[in-house]
Amino acid sequence: VKFNNCAGNKGVRYETNSLDFKVRADGTMYAAHQVQMPSKQLILMVTAWDPQTLGRWEAIVRFLVAEKSQHNGHKPKGRKTLPGELAQQQSDTLLPWRQHQSVNGLRRQKRDWVIPPINVPENSRGPFPQQLVRIRSDKDKEIHIRYSITGVGADQPPMEVFSIDPVSGRMYVTRPMDREERASYHLRAHAVDMNGNKVENPIDLYIYVIDMNDNRPEFINQVYNGSVDEGSKPGTYVMTVTANDADDSTTANGMVRYRIVTQTPQSPSQNMFTINSETGDIVTVAAGLDREKVQQYIVIVQATDMEGNLNYGLSNTATAIITVTDVNDNPPEFTTSTVSRVGRCSPLGAGLPGCVSPRIQSLVRGGTPHAVYTRVLASSHFSFSQPGGPREKMQHLAAAVDYEMNRAFMLTVMVSNQAPLASGIQMSFQSTAGVTISVTDVNEAPYFPTNHKLIRLEEGVPTGTVLTTFSAVDPDRFMQQAVRYSKLSDPANWLNINATNGQITTAAVLDRESDYIKNNVYEATFLAADNGIPPASGTGTLQIYLIDINDNAPELLPKEAQICEKPNLNVINITAADADIDPNVGPFVFELPSVPSAVRKNWTITRLNGDYAQLSLRIMYLEAGVYDVPIIVTDSGNPPLYNTSVIKVKVCPCDENGDCTTIGAVAAAGLGTGAIVAILICIIILLTMVLLFVVWMKRREKERHTKQLLIDPEDDVRDNILKYDEEGGGEEDQDYDLSQLQQPETMDHVLNKTPGVRRVDERPIGAEPQYPIRPVIPHPGDIGDFINEGLRAADNDPTAPPYDSLLVFDYEGSGSTAGSVSSLNSSSSGDQDYDYLNDWGPRFKKLADMYGGGEED
């Protein structure tokens, strides 16, 4: 191949896209090793590039391969062919349907050739269409043949990638190819005559797209995370990075090689890691990984195709983050042998003084986060926790301490690793330090030594009685402070407390039966506060157990009952309820009073046990009704209390089962048979009156509708307005028979009326003029004549409506085929004087204003 860069070709290098062929500096192409050619032709891409200017030039070289027997033993020669010259080369013509003839002139059976694959480079710059090959049959000398191709890329999607000249048989590619989109095409060539008859059998054509390096390697991830133990030996595996190239992996275009570009930080060496150029495995290459110095490395990895050739290969980069994990290679060590801290006292609970120590940092050097802290010669008041991190411990109270008892504590603390040290570490595995804790006094709250305090007394003690002294103790012995008392919770407001000495007295009578008492105990809370800075306070609870006294009389139960009017059928069970508790309750004594005497005459009480008794009739019959029976109930208290309670007993007739009948229940309510009958009669009379009133109203309404209005026409000066129902949309949608409106069916109701008296809206008695008859099928031209004739007849007809009355019609719709009637005039002519309307009074003032205005109106 020949190339000229206009600068003497100094330093120009040549390369091919095939590993089988190479180009020397003088442009000579040669086979790199023995090659078996699979086809009759081979297309290569030769690239010339200048390393100084980074300029690149490409050219397509086609090799035609021939057998030795056909070329008399000459070696195949390579030549450079431009894309535009392909159509002019005789060697591009294929005869796939060549026929052979025997010596004696007989024609042998036709045999098809196997067409070698056609190679097309991707991303070709054209011009397009670009000829690939010419296909022809040796029968084209005898007949006219038409050629065509079918298959994917021709008449199947993607359509029209390849085309063929039907006359000459030249096949073209119409646009640049992309191997990553489709690497090969399988077409079939057809030869037919002018009538479409098959001349030759279809021939298979295989077209392969030659790969070009037009895709960069792409990493699967842009960031890779890996880890390695500190102190790892060289060659330790860390992670693997992977990049894929869309180009052909069997050629240099798709062969990716890896290398490390940078490492951050470059400590202790700038090359702590290396990468396998083919697999992408990252391993350690140097010793000295120390997590305490460098915890993380950031490595930039580059992937380059063309077997890693940085000059003309395409590259891409990714980031590998390598974390150095910790191993136990450093024992814990205190930074100082003595630690002094000051704690502040604060109350740990009500009535319990205490002090909490501050945080103590071990500040160990090295070691794993799992360090074990041990107390040596230390007080049992303290223990350890880990709130601030793996190298920080807090010493806090395990038991309460008191400034007044201990003002300082001396501790010896030892720290060691929970896990053993890594092999090869020759150091002590533990460290000790002394800790001094000084306690600072703070104001502590007063506390009640006895909390909750319980006292017992009888209920009902008078107001002002001293119950007890509920005093608090101030733990600050070295501070001269005064304690003041006050109430915090007193639900019933029964108690008072002395503010200086805590003496409790009653402010009201204590009642055990109150709702504020729970299980006979009344509970109140008091507050004790000192005058320290800042002031502190404590609370105490006083519980008062109230002993019951007999201060509540029993109550009879039930309050109401019913019994049959004859004895021995049923009885009433009675009992009593007492708000007191034992022994101030039962057994109860039930008895009837002696006054009035009818009580003991009619009723008797039978004792069942200490809590229950039975009330029953003493006489053989008692009239039905409601009776108030007084009963005296006495409890067993000391002294005993009694109460006279009244039970309402309903006496009623009963059936054979001992149950009150319905009539008997009413009678028992206080109504006799006569009263019940009277009530029923009153109800019937009331219903009858209501019915008669309804019938009378309906009759009156009917007469009001049928009664006619009789008014003398000479005295009637009112305007009558008759409102008619909706008449629809006018003549557009309804065809009315005007004769029915003009000629009533009968005049009997008019002829039979009394002379001289009639309604103003009724038709007068008189001769009826003849109105024109409307034709059955009116013609539009006759409507005007029909209306004019009817108008003249109506003007001369005294019986025609309206009869001195105003008739109001509803809207009948817009538009009419009959036209407007506003132009029709009355048959009477001449001007009229309407001034007399002013003499008719205020009723005709509106009419006089409309017609009496003259020309001005």
Side-chain angles (χ1 to χ4, degrees), residues 548-562:
D548 184 44
I549 62 174
N550 192 19
D551 57 347
N552 293 279
E555 292 288 338
L556 182 68
L557 293 177
K559 299 296 184 182
E560 295 180 356
Q562 65 180 15

Side-chain angles (χ1 to χ4, degrees), residues 517-730:
I517 303 299
K518 305 297 181 183
N519 299 324
N520 301 327
V521 176
Y522 180 73
E523 190 172 279
T525 305
F526 299 93
L527 183 69
D530 59 21
N531 57 352
I533 300 176
S537 61
T539 60
T541 301
L542 177 65
Q543 293 179 333
I544 303 175
Y545 185 87
L546 295 178
I547 301 173
D548 184 44
I549 62 174
N550 192 19
D551 57 347
N552 293 279
E555 292 288 338
L556 182 68
L557 293 177
K559 299 296 184 182
E560 295 180 356
Q562 65 180 15
I563 193 172
C564 295
E565 59 186 2
K566 294 181 180 180
N568 300 327
L569 292 178
N570 54 9
V571 295
I572 301 173
N573 293 324
I574 59 176
T575 185
D578 197 328
D580 295 324
I581 60 176
D582 191 67
N584 298 319
V585 287
F588 300 101
V589 177
F590 302 92
E591 57 183 346
L592 296 173
S594 57
V595 178
S597 59
V599 175
R600 291 190 175 186
K601 178 181 177 182
N602 298 333
W603 305 91
T604 182
I605 293 179
T606 304
R607 182 182 178 88
L608 297 179
N609 52 37
D611 295 330
Y612 291 92
Q614 288 182 344
L615 176 65
S616 60
L617 288 174
R618 179 185 293 272
I619 60 179
M620 298 303 296
Y621 174 79
L622 184 63
E623 184 180 0
V626 179
Y627 297 87
D628 292 337
V629 180
I631 298 176
I632 301 173
V633 184
T634 306
D635 60 18
S636 300
N638 188 16
L641 296 180
Y642 68 91
N643 182 28
T644 301
S645 300
V646 176
I647 179 173
K648 288 183 176 295
V649 180
K650 295 180 181 179
V651 180
C652 59
C654 297
D655 54 16
E656 62 275 5
N657 297 325
D659 299 327
C660 285
T661 60
T662 304
I663 299 177
V666 175
L671 296 178
T673 304
I676 296 175
V677 173
I679 292 174
L680 294 177
I681 294 176
C682 291
I683 293 175
I684 294 173
I685 294 174
L686 181 61
L687 292 177
T688 304
M689 293 177 63
V690 172
L691 181 61
L692 292 176
F693 178 75
V694 173
V695 172
W696 178 76
M697 289 297 295
K698 288 185 174 293
R699 183 185 296 267
R700 182 180 177 185
E701 182 70 17
K702 183 177 180 180
E703 292 177 354
R704 187 176 64 84
H705 284 290
T706 57
K707 185 178 181 181
Q708 296 181 355
L709 178 63
L710 301 179
I711 301 177
D712 190 354
E714 295 179 358
D715 298 333
D716 185 17
V717 294
R718 295 176 301 170
D719 292 335
N720 297 317
I721 300 177
L722 302 181
K723 184 176 181 180
Y724 292 83
D725 291 337
E726 174 67 40
E727 297 183 358

Side-chain angles (χ1 to χ4, degrees), residues 299-352:
V299 177
I300 304 300
V301 180
Q302 184 182 57
T304 306
D305 57 14
M306 297 301 292
E307 298 181 290
N309 193 321
L310 299 177
N311 294 324
Y312 50 89
L314 302 179
S315 302
N316 212 337
T317 60
T319 301
I321 300 176
I322 302 174
T323 302
V324 181
T325 56
D326 183 40
V327 298
N328 192 15
D329 58 347
N330 295 284
E333 181 181 1
F334 284 101
T335 57
T336 179
S337 60
T338 303
V339 180
S340 298
R341 291 293 185 269
V342 177
R344 295 185 60 82
C345 293
S346 61
L348 294 182
L352 179 64

Side-chain angles (χ1 to χ4, degrees), residues 180-227:
E180 288 71 37
E181 179 180 349
R182 191 177 183 88
S184 63
Y185 296 85
H186 177 204
L187 304 178
R188 304 200 77 184
H190 304 270
V192 297
D193 59 13
M194 299 300 293
N195 296 324
N197 299 319
K198 182 175 68 174
V199 177
E200 303 285 357
N201 292 328
I203 297 299
D204 292 326
L205 300 178
Y206 295 93
I207 301 174
Y208 295 100
V209 182
I210 300 175
D211 183 45
M212 297 296 174
N213 189 21
D214 57 347
N215 291 278
R216 294 180 179 274
E218 295 292 339
F219 283 93
I220 297 177
N221 300 314
Q222 285 300 313
V223 178
Y224 291 84
N225 291 281
S227 61

